[in-house]
Amino acid sequence: MKRRERTRQLIELGGLVAKADLIELTGDDRAVLLGLLIDAAAMLRGETRERQLLLWRRRGQRAFDAAATGL
């Protein structure tokens, strides 16, 4: 991946963390944020991977849709 593409990806991912209110909810505690992400990764390595992806995808799409409509 080229440097500019990687930088853009990282900025977009940081935006998602902010959009989910995780920065405020964790007091910008990066250890807590990393812990959350490690737990999510562990869930994706487990037997309920597909179910969890479906749940998170639906929840995320609803949030995107709500933001697009100004709700």
Side-chain angles (χ1 to χ4, degrees):
M1 181 179 291
K2 295 180 183 176
R3 186 175 172 183
R4 281 186 185 203
E5 293 170 358
R6 179 72 173 146
T7 299
R8 179 184 172 103
Q9 180 188 38
L10 292 173
I11 291 168
E12 289 174 350
L13 292 171
L16 293 175
V17 170
K19 187 180 237 16
D21 289 330
L22 289 174
I23 297 168
E24 183 178 323
L25 291 170
T26 63
D28 198 13
D29 186 328
R30 280 129 198 223
V32 171
L33 290 169
L34 180 57
L36 286 165
L37 295 171
I38 289 169
D39 279 354
M43 292 178 79
L44 293 177
R45 290 184 188 99
E47 294 178 10
T48 62
R49 172 188 169 84
E50 294 305 317
R51 183 173 183 270
Q52 195 62 51
L53 283 172
L54 180 63
L55 173 70
W56 287 338
R57 186 175 292 114
R58 287 178 179 168
R59 190 172 291 157
Q61 191 59 56
R62 283 194 304 266
F64 280 134
D65 294 345
T69 60
L71 298 177

